[in-house]
Amino acid sequence: MADRDPDRIEQEIEGELEALARNIDAIADRVSPSNVVHRTGDRVREELHQVAATIGSIVTPGDEEGSPLTDEQRKRALVIGGVVLVGVALLVLRARRGRG
């Protein structure tokens, strides 16, 4: 250990400090409240789009003749789906506010 070059040790320390600084910056970016809000909003929007697509595929038949749903049933399903989407969005937002 005594035969190590001081310049080499200093370079290693500087390299480790730079790596540590990058890690700290990455952690700060990850826990930044505005970034958390953006990521959460993106996830909620993605989930709502998936649910809407699923509901749309259920209530919009491929062909009218083979549809198991009447027009009135489709309308009701769309209204119920919309109410469910709004309810889920409100629950997610409320849960997120409770954590913050």
Side-chain angles (χ1 to χ4, degrees):
M1 184 102 163
D3 58 340
R4 290 191 67 190
D5 180 29
D7 291 333
R8 174 90 171 133
I9 294 171
E10 186 176 345
Q11 288 175 346
E12 288 177 9
I13 291 172
E14 287 175 3
E16 291 298 322
L17 287 175
E18 288 173 8
L20 181 60
R22 284 191 302 272
N23 287 338
I24 290 172
D25 289 344
I27 290 169
D29 185 55
R30 183 142 177 93
V31 299
S32 163
S34 63
N35 290 344
V36 171
V37 168
H38 289 299
R39 283 192 307 269
T40 302
D42 291 343
R43 281 194 300 256
V44 168
R45 277 189 291 281
E46 184 178 320
E47 290 293 326
L48 290 177
H49 285 296
Q50 289 177 357
V51 170
T54 301
I55 290 172
S57 68
I58 291 171
V59 298
T60 306
D63 60 353
E64 289 296 321
E65 294 176 11
S67 174
L69 301 176
T70 65
D71 286 339
E72 185 64 30
Q73 288 172 327
R74 276 195 296 275
K75 288 177 187 176
R76 284 185 189 162
L78 285 172
V79 169
I80 291 169
V83 170
V84 168
L85 286 174
V86 169
V88 168
L90 291 174
L91 286 174
V92 168
L93 291 174
R94 186 173 180 205
R96 290 294 176 184
R97 280 191 183 157
R99 291 182 189 172

